[in-house]
């Protein structure tokens, strides 16, 4: 007979498997298919570990990696909101807050509290860990899009000003990685992939 705590943990583990079905607008490198949220989270977590030396501040890398892994779980219920979809962005917080409550409530109370706090910390982007996690969240799709010749930007008619506006959070987490971002964006503008 399984105890209640373990049953809740296993229920949550099965629930988050659904994250693999949430498709993003970003395509895999090499002009691959659209990536899913779980792939995005995994990729960001590895990036955070490998690039941790470029954080503007000292960080707890395990905390950053966990933020990267859990930040999009809410999209199981809320759906993915494209970074440059102004209409979707207007309702994103409300949708994600409702999803956060529903999904994290599957867990035992102490773990619900812990993961909810971590999600909220990421969203507030005030701590060194949250700032660096946001840098990963911005850099990962940018690297994929760059590897695909700016295809996603062209398809959605994204402007350089929109991308630079989003990349401000990259700079808060890592000046060095922002410089890389700036170089990539200037090259994509030169090639005509960003207006």
């Amino acid at each position: 007979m399984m105890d209640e705590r373990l049953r809740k943990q296993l229920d949550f583990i099965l629930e988050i498997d659904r994250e693999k079905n949430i498709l993003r607008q970003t395509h895999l490198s090499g002009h691959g298919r659209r990536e899913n949220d779980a792939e995005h989270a995994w990729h960001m977590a590895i990036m955070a570990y490998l690039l941790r030396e470029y954080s503007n501040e000292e960080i707890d890398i395990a905390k950053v990696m966990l933020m990267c892994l859990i930040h999009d779980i809410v999209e199981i219920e809320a759906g993915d909101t494209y970074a440059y979809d102004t209409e979707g962005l207007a309702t994103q917080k409300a949708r994600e807050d409702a999803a956060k409550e529903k999904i994290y409530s599957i867990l035992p109370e102490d773990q619900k509290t812990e993961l909810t706090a971590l999600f909220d910390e990421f969203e507030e982007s005030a701590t060194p860990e949250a700032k660096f996690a946001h840098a990963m969240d911005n850099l990962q799709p940018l690297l994929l899009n760059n590897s695909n010749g700016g295809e996603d930007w062209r398809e959605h008619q994204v402007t350089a000003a929109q991308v630079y506006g989003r990349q401000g959070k990259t700079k808060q987490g890592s000046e060095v990685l922002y410089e890389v971002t700036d170089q990539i964006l200037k090259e994509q503008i030169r090639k005509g992939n960003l207006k």
Side-chain angles (χ1 to χ4, degrees), residues 86-172:
T86 51
E87 196 173 296
L89 290 170
T91 63
Q92 182 180 18
K93 180 169 177 17
R95 287 182 288 113
E96 290 188 352
D97 282 348
K100 173 182 65 174
E101 180 59 30
K102 180 177 180 180
I103 295 170
Y104 289 133
S105 289
I106 297 169
L107 284 165
E109 194 60 37
D110 63 312
Q111 290 183 324
K112 172 193 174 185
T113 300
E114 177 188 5
L115 292 189
T116 298
L118 203 57
F119 176 87
D120 291 343
E121 182 178 337
F122 175 85
E123 289 298 306
E124 291 162 11
S125 197
T127 64
E129 288 80 11
K131 289 175 187 176
F132 194 66
H134 266 287
M136 297 303 99
D137 195 25
N138 290 339
L139 181 61
Q140 188 268 350
L142 182 129
L143 292 175
L144 291 181
N145 202 8
N146 185 57
S147 80
N148 290 322
E151 224 170 79
D152 294 324
W153 289 321
R154 282 195 317 276
E155 178 186 335
H156 295 282
Q157 299 176 2
V158 175
T159 67
Q162 287 175 297
V163 182
Y164 272 110
R166 181 170 171 79
Q167 292 298 328
K169 287 191 175 175
T170 301
K171 193 174 194 175
Q172 291 174 15

Side-chain angles (χ1 to χ4, degrees), residues 52-67:
R52 66 190 184 275
E53 66 198 78
Y54 305 111
S55 175
N56 291 341
E57 302 172 75
E58 285 293 316
I59 50 172
D60 174 347
I61 192 58
K63 187 176 185 182
V64 172
M65 292 173 74
L66 190 53
M67 278 183 187

Side-chain angles (χ1 to χ4, degrees), residues 12 16-17 19-20 36-49 61-76 104 115 118-119 122 133-134 136-137:
F12 180 79
I16 66 172
D17 183 65
E19 189 177 11
K20 297 172 187 171
N36 66 50
D37 270 357
E39 292 165 331
H40 168 65
W42 161 82
H43 208 185
M44 284 174 44
I46 296 291
M47 286 173 56
Y49 182 79
I61 192 58
K63 187 176 185 182
V64 172
M65 292 173 74
L66 190 53
M67 278 183 187
C68 290
L69 291 169
I70 67 142
H71 83 290
D72 278 343
I73 287 173
V74 295
E75 293 184 2
I76 292 168
Y104 289 133
L115 292 189
L118 203 57
F119 176 87
F122 175 85
H134 266 287
M136 297 303 99
D137 195 25

